[in-house]
Amino acid sequence: VPNWELNERNTVVVFGDFGNRGAPGEADAVYPAKLEIVDDGTPLRFLGPDGEESGVGLTWEGQGATGYGTGSQLVGAKLNHVGDATAGEGGAPVFERALLPNDDFALYGGGDFRLRMLTSGGFTPTGITGLTPDAYEHHFRVHATAEDGSTVLLSESGVDYRVAGGTLRVLGLADLGQPLGDGVVYDDCYAEDVDNQIDIILEGDDAAARSITHVEVPSSGDYLPLYNPGGPGPEPFPGVRYSEPSPYDLEPVVIALDDPLRVSNAP
């Protein structure tokens, strides 16, 4: 469920018969081409910095969205301070028992910075198996700027990288499943929340964090692609159409260290 946690409600979930396994260009392919929020008497509303706002009139239109034409990709990335606690964790007790705690404090004792990625669909290694917290260097790279203006690639976790303003270290991924130990193993049976939010947890200097520019999903070479549900799994069958792998992606990171750019309806 992509938005069962309270801090993931920027993802809107709609159920319906919106597509099939057809690929773009095929005569029988069905997939979304336009999304518009209309006034049906009880229209969708959003919480913004000035309170509730109607979503009526918001429209997306493109070449079509189908996992059988292109894989999931990043649609946003934002860097915040970790702070004293992760706000908005949980929200559905039936899932909490199996999947929580899965935040930066449970996995790494906190860290200094949380780089949250928002995806257009599922981001799993095969479309079936879960993404594990130690898989950062198999799928992602954070870009930062060096003192001389060149680009520094944070390609490994647990390594100190010298960038403009100091050093940065990637601790790993979070907002997936529970930490290693007490019966939890990082293997093909690892249970994670398969939602549209994945966190990269970092520690280092505040000035250094401000040098971060992009998060990259290479999806080729030494880096493995990611799949929406419906992917090939660890042992695909020949002649079966599976969801497509993630394409190369380079997403700008919004630096939200002074203003967290976050809203809440908590009293």
Side-chain angles (χ1 to χ4, degrees):
V1 182
N3 73 345
W4 67 269
E5 291 193 65
L6 297 174
N7 60 14
E8 297 172 351
R9 298 295 167 83
N10 55 352
T11 300
V12 178
V13 178
V14 181
F15 293 96
D17 188 10
F18 298 125
N20 57 23
R21 289 189 177 224
E26 295 180 347
D28 60 348
V30 177
Y31 51 86
K34 181 178 181 180
L35 173 66
E36 182 179 1
I37 299 175
V38 300
D39 189 351
D40 64 347
T42 56
L44 186 65
R45 299 181 65 81
F46 296 94
L47 184 64
D50 299 319
E52 283 195 19
E53 301 281 351
S54 171
V56 172
L58 292 177
T59 303
W60 169 87
E61 190 168 5
Q63 297 300 312
T66 168
Y68 301 100
T70 185
S72 300
Q73 52 196 302
L74 299 179
V75 296
K78 182 163 70 82
L79 185 74
N80 289 106
H81 289 292
V82 164
D84 297 327
T86 305
E89 286 291 285
V94 66
F95 295 121
E96 290 177 21
R97 289 190 291 271
L99 299 172
L100 297 186
N102 66 0
D103 64 8
D104 27 33
F105 289 92
L107 287 154
Y108 309 108
D112 295 318
F113 310 101
R114 180 187 305 112
L115 199 169
R116 171 153 291 193
M117 300 175 285
L118 180 63
T119 73
S120 65
F123 250 36
T124 67
T126 66
I128 296 176
T129 53
L131 187 64
T132 56
D134 62 349
Y136 167 81
E137 54 198 58
H138 299 309
H139 302 285
F140 304 102
R141 290 195 297 203
V142 171
H143 291 221
T145 302
E147 293 284 1
D148 63 2
S150 62
T151 297
V152 179
L153 299 177
L154 281 62
S155 56
E156 298 181 68
S157 56
V159 174
D160 288 331
Y161 289 90
R162 172 65 63 176
V163 300
T167 60
L168 288 173
R169 174 193 293 250
V170 174
L171 299 182
L173 304 177
D175 201 58
L176 296 169
Q178 295 175 337
L180 189 67
D182 293 329
V184 176
V185 180
Y186 292 167
D187 60 10
D188 285 351
C189 296
Y190 181 70
E192 54 117 329
D193 59 8
V194 293
D195 59 27
N196 291 46
Q197 287 81 205
I198 301 171
D199 295 339
I200 299 173
I201 308 303
L202 305 101
E203 63 180 11
D205 301 302
D206 188 87
R210 297 172 190 272
S211 75
I212 292 175
T213 59
H214 297 81
V215 59
E216 179 186 4
V217 183
S219 297
S220 64
D222 294 332
Y223 291 86
L224 302 175
L226 294 153
Y227 292 84
N228 204 42
E235 297 183 9
F237 289 94
V240 176
R241 173 171 285 169
Y242 297 103
S243 60
E244 289 289 310
S246 57
Y248 174 84
D249 201 357
L250 186 64
E251 182 69 23
V253 175
V254 175
I255 304 299
L257 299 178
D258 298 320
D259 179 355
L261 301 176
R262 185 184 296 133
V263 296
S264 174
N265 62 356

